[in-house]
Amino acid sequence: MGWQRKILVVDLTKGEAKAEPLNMDWAFQYLGERGLATKYLSEMMDPKADPMGPDNVLIFATGPLTGTMASTSGRYAVVTKGPLTGAIACSNSGGKFGAELKFAGYDLLIVKGKAKKPVYLHIIDDQVEILPADGIWGQTVWKTEELLKSKHQNPLLKVASIGEAGEKGVLYACVVNDLHRAAGRSGVGAVMGSKNLKAVAVHGSKGVRVKDPKRFMGAVKAAKEVLANSTGRKELTEYGTNAMIDVMQQFGGLPTNNFQKVQFDGTEKINAKAMMTPNAHGHRNLVTNKACFGCTIACGRIAHIDKEHFTVVNRKEYWLASGGLEYETAYAFGPVVGVADIDALTFAGYMMNEHGMDPISFGATLAAAMELYEMGAIKKDETDGIELRFGNAEALTVMAEKTGKGEGFGKILGLGSKRLCEKYGHPELFMGVKGQEFAGYDSRALQGMGLGYATSNRGACHLKHDVFAEDMEDQTGKGKAVPVKKSQDKVAMIDSTGLCLFVTAGWGLEDFQTQVDAACEGEWSVERLLETGERVWNAERIFNNNAGFTAKDDSLPERLLKVPAPSGTAKGKVSELGKMLPEYYEARGWSKDGRPTNETITRLGL
Amino acid sequence: MQKSLLIDPDKCTSCLQCEMACSFEHEGAFNPAKSRIKIFEFEHGRRAIPYTCTQCAEAWCLHACPVEALVRNQATGAVEVKEDVCVGCKVCTIACPFGTINYNQSTGKVAKCDLCGGDPQCAAACPTGAITYVDSDWTGYERMKQWAVKTDNRPQA
Ligand code: SF4
């Protein structure tokens, strides 16, 4: 229990959908969501396959705790081979779609092949239809949801879809569900587009049961209390994740102007407090906070744009309230492109959600384009008349929209930073790993973060490890390898339960253990959970090794390895990746070229 | 003392813990599709509004039922469905002005909020205090208090 014990396999080439039993041996080994989808993906496709071709497999995966009363139980992951990186992609999302898929009776939805013409999936419990996307293909994410609900006269439908960005192959297009929650990174939306799959619309009424309901409810209640009383939780509820921008600014780890700087003049205009403070017209950016399914934190922000702002003054359709700034969007539309206009940032966020793109990759790609523009490598006649200079709010908002719609210079920005920098002859200006752009933390100030970025299986990512406390305490690379490895395993486990990483604001390992053990068949100790996480991490790594990745891909840009941080607490420091990496491989039980040894493979039963 | 559900939409974050708690209590599974309380979201989540039966004193549903399957629980004040009596004719769903009594295809009976026999699980599960269970005569107490404080114009210590 916990699991529905059933998966849905859709072959778009054949136009067939059929339910199959969940492989329970795999469920016991990989738990669910991220882990279980990794196992299925590895078994079902050749890791060398073209990510944008019909042989790539796209998996929507829930976890055993998805759709239960455990706090933050709304998560699902989209797992596939990512077109931005060529590595395994695993992007998870909240909102309500994931739980709904589970309520319809499925642990996983696996999509294979490619439809001849654009289609969408309509799933009502056991009834599954592959329907033509006429009149929906070409529409935005927001419009798609509206059209599907009215077409099927079903307000209870939950929708995950791609926007034009995904249709047009923006390499960091995402899958958006419930209007403003997204499986954001690595271009999972571009894969969906390459399959001619516009949307998945689902309603479920089967419910989710757990192994020992009484014990589960007790464990859930106790864990919720722990979370409710934790300071970290209270801050997330009140300020959202954007509270982080002040921390990073002070610390000097806030990537600014494409990582040329680590501190930004203007954070006070875009931080959590600025969102809550009325401007000169009395307009307050933040409207309210909002939870995903089952979440007792509610870090999500709902915001609106000042009607007088240049982005919307003549565009009433954007006067609505919608998803507001979080830390990563604030970073990606703020410091890294040098912009400190809160309404412009909020508008750029709307563009990401409406057209379906990853804000981190978009912002970081625009930042690289701005650096190339300022050095003269990109000329004004290429940029649709826009001055691509750091700090230009119009450049941010216009390019966000153009990229989403696949127009003008937006087409080039849609390639991502790595390909853009190569195109203009400056590959060294790409700030990322394995083709994926960095999130809002500088590896010179946060050493463990740098190691985490370099070794993350989906390319640069801040969410696959958690050594924040260690990094803040000690700014050297010493002793970071083991905590990075351990936290990667822990996060992989959390991502495989169906819960949100942010519960770690209050929960320790035991809080997960009590809930998983009461919900799922078998006995789940902390040790077994951590071993599961380690297995998941290594399975992802093996997928990547088989796709052609080696130790040389676990690297950071020269700017972080050789150019010292210009200010902040890490002033004069560079990333110590070179020292940390061998220690990390050793801690992992990997060879020097970054492959799990036979011993490790056997130990983890891979 | 009779108690009522007091709903404060301003506090609701739309987490659906209440819908899960309701379905778990009544169906033994987490299943919002079978919840007797529903959360309605407006404008990309600007507003989230919980809505359920208010247990009318003169209950339209109860009066409309031809087989007396709807009965008042004198202790809690809730109108409850006697499943063994209900014939699933759905007349009560037509009579209810608020839409809070609904047919359940899987049982062939109607379902509505019964205040969980006096310990409403939605209120117990709500993490934000958007749903509380208070003295029926004083559901307005907190709101009165909020306005009362505004009339106090003496300098605050
Ligand atoms: S549990 Fe409370 S906050 Fe959550 S949806 Fe229900 S009423 Fe709203």
Side-chain angles (χ1 to χ4, degrees), chain A residues 250-267:
Chain A
Q250 232 181 15
F251 198 60
L254 185 61
T256 301
N257 292 9
N258 201 33
F259 292 72
Q260 295 180 75
K261 298 197 276 174
V262 293
Q263 283 173 316
F264 177 57
D265 292 332
T267 43

Side-chain angles (χ1 to χ4, degrees), chain A residues 67-73 96 103 142 156 179-180 203-210 213-214 216-217 224 287-296 298 302 304 319-323, chain B residues 9-25 27-34 38-48 106 121-122 124-128:
Chain A
T68 69
M69 267 178 87
S71 185
T72 76
S73 70
K96 307 211 159 93
F103 293 140
W142 292 354
L156 298 172
L179 304 171
H180 46 68
H203 174 59
S205 63
K206 293 185 182 254
V208 171
R209 288 170 196 272
V210 290
K214 201 162 165 236
F216 183 71
M217 291 302 266
K224 274 190 206 152
V287 176
T288 187
N289 67 326
K290 171 120 198 279
C292 293
F293 184 93
C295 175
T296 57
I302 299 293
H304 59 170
W319 291 5
L320 83 174
S322 189
Chain B
D10 275 347
K11 291 186 179 150
C12 177
T13 58
S14 179
C15 71
L16 305 195
Q17 282 282 341
C18 52
E19 292 195 10
M20 281 192 281
C22 178
S23 57
F24 182 76
E25 172 73 15
E27 315 269 337
F30 306 112
N31 191 357
K34 303 279 192 239
K38 292 308 279 180
I39 305 302
F40 296 88
E41 275 186 51
F42 300 94
E43 196 190 323
H44 291 208
R46 175 197 282 262
R47 300 281 282 158
S106 48
Q121 293 302 300
C122 54
C126 179
T128 64

